[in-house]
Amino acid sequence: MSDDVTEILEVKGISSGYGKVPILHGIEFAVAENEVVGILGHNGMGKTTLLKTLMGFLPAGSGTVRFHATDITGMSPFERAGLGLGYVPQGRGIFPQLTVRDNLRFAWHEYAGASESDVMETVLADFPRLRPLLDREGGALSGGEQQLLALARCLMGDPDFLLLDEPTEGIQPSIIEEMGETLLALRESRGLSILLVEQNFDFISDLSDWVLVLERGRITGELSKADLSDQAKVDQFLGFGAARSTRRQASNHSGRPGAQPAATIQTKPQAASATEPAAASVVTNMTVKRPTLSQMRDMASRFGMNLSDEDLEEYREIIEPYMQAYDRLDAMPDYLPEVRYPRSPGHFPTQTENTLNAWYVKTEVRGAPDGKLRGKRIALKDTICLAGVPMMNGSSIMEGYTPEIDATIVTRMLDEGAVITGKAHCENFCLSGGSHTNAKGPIHNPWKRGYMAGGSSGGSAALVAAGEVDMAIAGDQGGSIRIPSSNCGVYGMKPTHGLVPYTGAMPIEQTIDHLGPVTNTVADNALLLEVLAGEDGLDPRQYKPTVYSYTEALGRGAHGMRIGILKEGFGHENSETDVDAKVMQAADRFRELGARVEEVSIPEHYTAMDAWTAITLEGLQDGMMWGNSTGTNYRGLFLPSMTDHMAQWQGRADELSHSLKACMFVGEHFQRQYRGRFYGKGQNIMRLCNERYLAALKQYDLLLMPTLPIKPQPHPPADCSLSLYVQRAFEMVPNTAPFNGGLPAMNIPCGLSEGLPIGMMLVGPHYGEMKIYQAADAFEQSGDWRNM
């Protein structure tokens, strides 16, 4: 940079990340007045983290940021905006229920230097496409129009420096071209400087004076304007076909007549055969990486194939039409559900407002003005997508991820008037029934600090028990709704498998994944399940669920009900006598309420625990770990952004919890050594166990047993052995896990011992939630469980 050029932004040695997870390492560069600098790199390299750090949404761990020669490293985002720094986030961040006009008005500030109406008129002059749309809701705009609105909204603050994060993502080529022209015109008319994060090579090269290459949080290269047209130099940093392209026809990139663009390939039109995809166009943009010869060798070796390099080269030619299908797929905008209600990202609560460490993020997303859940404050387990709000699933691997959709159940609750108040901490990737594995520290039991709140949905149950929310959503793969509900003294229902859509929640294994309500009363639990239940057409776990008005079960009493006390649910090796005694007293109370109560034996209850072990450990290794929480072989809603973020575990496996590591060793061993045969046998045996349960449930309306064999245990010390750490994660599941084979099961608080809650579990037949609520309500109305 020459001496007569004024630097407007100077970044020196910046390091940043999310909590304890470092993302950026010693970033240094400067941007001059009226200059456009591009940041190019693949997903997960730290581009968005860099912009968030420059805008002040993330703190810098080290280094300095100077803007107009002022040190802004410690300033808030609002203070930086007041100095002239503007930020357009990835995903646009507009308010879908506000009109275009109100979106713009919302962004005006006094530091813009003119009245709201004058500033808006100036902005609309630069964005004439928005003028006829002023009274249209933001959510009704096309993706390209939303992106133009996001840019216009940013300019309502009259910035002189723009931070743009992936502005072309999901946008049609014609709008991309218009956006590029608009940015160039703004640069000329307003003297703007721009820092542009992009993966679209054409867009970034057209706009930028020079480009930085970001790889794994470090700047690894710098490309001048001339370098951007030199394919050899581009490939040196990015690899062949690494960046997206939006040009649909050949253009002269190299200055030679008839030269092909760097990111395109010429193909001959031809008819499709049974084994070869049809060409969609004469020119196909090469946006995905092609396998190198070395990678082909590696794959052939993994497959056990003996192929020559000549054969492999021919295979590379054979698969090129298939690669072009991926190019076209990459160029299309994704098809994801609409986000209906405005929200903010919220904030990470301080220790004083998070004494139990049960919150991950606090926010306030208000739904419809009326409905069944009007005004109910609800927390979500931090496995459930809430668009625009961070999600980490208890793990440093996922920290920094923000989903762009609402889970199906979130939309259903908001449609019924709920207020989503935040995300509740859970165990590290949910692989624990304790509450000690979260990357942000242990979750405390609201009845006794230093003791287990239970897992994996510990934060959900603790917040309900502490009265910080009215209701919560939890998830359950081995007891993770019922375990924390028992430990915290609240009502937690694991519904029939598939009754509540799992769409938009981070899974472990499809055949054991459940979502359900946690509440302080049976009536609230039944009410919330009414809102949650039913098909959404997007979840392969659902198979025509039978749905009822669950609140109609309330007030019917227990007289005449038949309840079987499951003999095998008592007297486990680690069962505590006071727990078994309290649950037996609860069974006696049902007798007093007029129910017929007697013991029943189902020896397969022990077998179900073994079947669940094989299903869970092999299934999570195949789908959650190697499948990056997505997997294949089913139809439904997929969230590629979650898949991309989850895939980071393969370079950061040391950060996984000890309990997850233990599960992975078992799952990997049996998948590799026994080819998955025990997973299949486990599913068969679980089907047998369910038949035995259902045979008993023809004789009885419900089965009764302790939810857990033990009371909440102390958190293990930070320096405990691996054995104790893992023991505390799984010691409580022998009654809960067997019913993750699909039957509905609910925790009902039934007493206290040593100042800690004890829970009774009621189990019903498939879609038997009405009978469970009927009995649970009768028990609740019979007296205060705390005094039983």
Side-chain angles (χ1 to χ4, degrees):
M1 191 174 292
S2 61
D3 294 337
D4 59 347
V5 174
T6 302
E7 292 179 352
I8 187 171
L9 179 73
E10 184 182 16
V11 180
K12 287 269 190 188
I14 283 293
S15 296
S16 181
Y18 300 89
K20 298 179 180 179
V21 184
I23 302 295
L24 303 178
H25 311 279
I27 301 292
E28 294 194 2
F29 64 91
V31 182
E33 284 185 324
N34 201 219
E35 186 173 48
V36 179
V37 176
I39 303 283
L40 193 59
H42 305 308
N43 282 330
M45 294 296 104
K47 304 187 301 297
T48 294
T49 302
L50 174 59
L51 293 196
K52 286 183 175 180
T53 302
L54 295 178
M55 196 63 209
F57 291 112
L58 291 175
S62 62
T64 59
V65 181
R66 299 182 70 84
F67 184 58
H68 288 300
T70 300
D71 188 343
I72 64 170
T73 314
M75 288 186 181
S76 68
F78 180 79
E79 291 172 313
R80 300 183 195 211
L83 292 176
L85 203 56
Y87 176 51
V88 181
Q90 186 179 20
R92 300 152 200 153
I94 66 167
F95 296 108
Q97 287 193 311
L98 295 183
T99 64
V100 170
R101 186 191 311 277
D102 286 342
N103 267 279
L104 294 175
R105 292 186 62 204
F106 186 82
W108 177 83
H109 292 281
E110 290 184 355
Y111 54 66
S115 68
E116 178 187 300
S117 58
D118 288 345
V119 172
M120 186 181 296
E121 187 59 34
T122 300
V123 169
L124 291 174
D126 290 324
F127 293 87
R129 179 189 282 261
L130 295 179
R131 193 178 293 278
L133 306 175
L134 282 172
D135 295 319
R136 187 176 298 181
E137 289 188 352
L141 304 181
S142 69
E145 290 167 342
Q146 288 182 2
Q147 186 63 64
L148 291 174
L149 172 57
L151 183 56
R153 188 179 61 176
C154 178
L155 292 176
M156 287 294 293
D158 194 30
D160 56 11
F161 195 110
L162 291 185
L163 301 172
L164 301 184
D165 194 355
E166 299 275 12
T168 73
E169 186 176 43
I171 306 299
Q172 294 295 335
S174 61
I175 301 293
I176 292 176
E177 184 177 345
E178 178 181 340
M179 189 181 305
E181 293 171 352
T182 300
L183 287 171
L184 289 173
L186 289 171
R187 175 186 182 182
E188 181 68 25
S189 63
R190 293 176 177 243
L192 283 175
S193 300
I194 301 174
L195 187 64
L196 172 65
V197 158
E198 256 301 338
Q199 290 190 76
N200 187 315
F201 183 81
D202 293 336
F203 188 79
I204 204 168
S205 60
D206 285 347
L207 263 67
S208 302
D209 297 301
W210 51 288
V211 170
L212 296 170
V213 179
L214 192 65
E215 185 174 1
R216 296 192 179 277
R218 293 180 171 84
I219 292 175
T220 58
E222 181 179 319
L223 298 167
S224 67
K225 194 75 172 177
D227 292 336
L228 293 171
S229 60
D230 186 334
Q231 188 59 37
K233 289 189 177 181
V234 172
D235 288 346
Q236 176 184 348
F237 292 109
L238 301 180
F240 181 63
R244 293 201 318 266
S245 172
T246 51
R247 293 203 175 97
R248 303 303 298 173
Q249 68 280 332
S251 62
N252 192 345
H253 274 228
S254 66
R256 293 179 289 106
Q260 293 293 325
T264 63
I265 180 172
Q266 187 75 32
T267 60
K268 293 181 179 180
Q270 51 191 322
S273 70
T275 59
E276 184 176 50
S281 59
V282 174
V283 177
T284 302
N285 295 308
M286 299 184 68
T287 65
V288 299
K289 289 184 178 180
R290 270 55 175 170
T292 64
L293 180 59
S294 175
Q295 290 170 333
M296 293 289 287
R297 288 195 202 103
D298 289 343
M299 285 191 283
S301 177
R302 289 198 301 273
F303 299 154
M305 299 174 180
N306 297 306
L307 297 171
S308 67
D309 284 357
E310 183 179 8
D311 289 337
L312 293 173
E313 286 289 8
E314 187 168 355
Y315 273 113
R316 285 214 297 168
E317 295 178 10
I318 291 170
I319 67 175
E320 177 55 32
Y322 302 96
M323 303 302 291
Q324 292 172 30
Y326 277 85
D327 290 329
R328 293 188 291 272
L329 189 63
D330 188 43
M332 298 176 193
D334 208 340
Y335 182 51
L336 298 174
E338 174 191 9
V339 177
R340 300 182 188 172
Y341 298 94
R343 78 280 313 274
S344 71
H347 71 282
F348 299 114
T350 63
Q351 188 172 359
T352 56
E353 57 179 331
N354 194 19
T355 56
L356 300 175
N357 195 35
W359 289 106
Y360 173 46
V361 179
K362 282 189 170 184
T363 186
E364 185 173 282
V365 183
R366 292 193 168 271
D370 204 358
K372 290 183 178 181
L373 301 178
R374 179 181 178 182
K376 293 286 188 181
R377 297 168 300 124
I378 301 178
L380 305 177
K381 182 177 183 178
D382 193 37
T383 56
I384 297 166
C385 288
L386 182 61
V389 178
M391 181 174 107
M392 67 176 283
N393 196 357
S395 171
S396 59
I397 304 295
M398 290 301 294
E399 193 172 12
Y401 173 63
T402 301
E404 64 269 42
I405 66 164
D406 285 340
T408 294
I409 60 168
V410 170
T411 301
R412 287 181 177 178
M413 290 186 290
L414 292 172
D415 284 347
E416 289 291 347
V419 180
I420 306 299
T421 56
K423 309 294 290 295
H425 269 320
C426 61
E427 292 297 88
N428 200 309
F429 282 128
C430 298
L431 263 296
S432 166
S435 64
H436 59 300
T437 71
N438 187 287
K440 297 292 186 181
I443 305 164
H444 294 278
N445 191 304
W447 291 83
K448 195 170 186 179
R449 188 171 180 83
Y451 278 68
M452 295 290 190
S456 60
S457 312
S460 296
L463 291 171
V464 171
E468 295 194 39
V469 295
D470 300 310
M471 303 168 163
I473 301 297
D476 196 313
Q477 283 85 13
S480 293
I481 294 173
R482 295 156 288 157
I483 295 168
S485 295
S486 178
N487 276 7
C488 295
V490 292
Y491 297 90
M493 169 68 85
K494 181 200 76 65
T496 303
H497 186 252
L499 177 61
V500 174
Y502 205 84
T503 307
M506 204 164 177
I508 289 182
E509 207 279 343
Q510 282 193 28
T511 65
I512 61 171
D513 290 332
H514 301 73
L515 294 176
V518 174
T519 60
N520 269 315
T521 67
V522 176
D524 271 357
N525 206 280
L527 177 66
L528 184 50
L529 186 62
E530 280 188 1
V531 173
L532 302 177
E535 270 190 298
D536 73 345
L538 297 171
D539 183 8
R541 299 163 188 80
Q542 296 193 286
Y543 22 89
K544 299 189 181 306
T546 304
V547 179
Y548 298 95
S549 296
Y550 301 105
T551 52
E552 294 180 6
L554 307 177
R556 293 182 178 179
H559 186 80
M561 294 194 79
R562 302 163 300 161
I563 298 176
I565 301 174
L566 182 63
K567 175 184 176 182
E568 288 77 13
F570 296 78
H572 294 286
E573 287 184 6
N574 64 338
S575 287
E576 296 178 331
T577 55
D578 55 347
V579 172
D580 282 356
K582 283 288 184 184
V583 176
M584 281 298 188
Q585 290 175 21
D588 288 339
R589 182 165 290 246
F590 275 117
R591 289 190 179 97
E592 296 170 3
L593 294 171
R596 190 186 90 193
V597 182
E598 55 194 36
E599 186 176 87
V600 62
S601 176
I602 307 176
E604 288 81 6
H605 185 61
Y606 301 130
T607 306
M609 184 67 206
D610 295 334
W612 173 86
T613 298
I615 293 167
T616 302
L617 303 192
E618 294 188 50
L620 77 86
Q621 185 65 2
D622 188 36
M624 175 177 154
M625 302 313 294
W626 293 126
N628 299 315
S629 282
T630 300
T632 58
N633 288 281
Y634 65 94
R635 293 188 181 96
L637 177 68
F638 290 77
L639 197 53
S641 62
M642 181 187 292
T643 305
D644 287 343
H645 211 98
M646 178 63 185
Q648 295 180 80
W649 79 264
Q650 296 186 50
R652 298 165 56 184
D654 286 343
E655 298 174 40
L656 301 173
S657 69
H658 303 316
S659 51
L660 176 52
K661 289 174 183 174
C663 294
M664 290 173 65
F665 281 126
V666 177
E668 184 76 358
H669 173 75
F670 281 94
Q671 282 282 305
R672 290 296 182 105
Q673 297 300 315
Y674 293 94
R675 304 160 298 281
R677 73 183 307 274
F678 285 109
Y679 174 87
K681 189 171 184 179
Q683 291 283 12
N684 291 338
I685 298 300
M686 185 62 86
R687 191 173 70 252
L688 169 66
C689 296
N690 274 341
E691 289 174 1
R692 299 292 189 267
Y693 290 131
L694 290 170
L697 286 165
K698 288 181 179 178
Q699 184 180 356
Y700 300 98
D701 294 309
L702 300 170
L703 301 177
L704 180 153
M705 70 207 78
T707 305
L708 311 178
I710 57 177
K711 298 185 296 298
Q713 300 296 298
H715 288 140
D719 59 352
C720 73
S721 66
L722 291 177
S723 297
L724 179 60
Y725 181 102
V726 176
Q727 175 189 329
R728 284 285 179 267
F730 301 123
E731 62 189 343
M732 72 296 289
V733 301
N735 282 347
T736 56
F739 297 106
N740 282 86
L743 299 180
M746 184 179 186
N747 175 73
I748 294 94
C750 66
L752 290 169
S753 181
E754 300 176 4
L756 291 165
I758 291 171
M760 161 182 62
M761 185 164 66
L762 296 179
V763 179
H766 290 120
Y767 307 113
E769 287 81 4
M770 290 285 282
K771 291 182 178 180
I772 295 177
Y773 282 133
Q774 179 182 346
D777 175 64
F779 186 87
E780 180 187 29
Q781 299 306 316
S782 72
D784 189 338
W785 67 267
R786 299 165 186 82
N787 300 322
M788 292 180 180

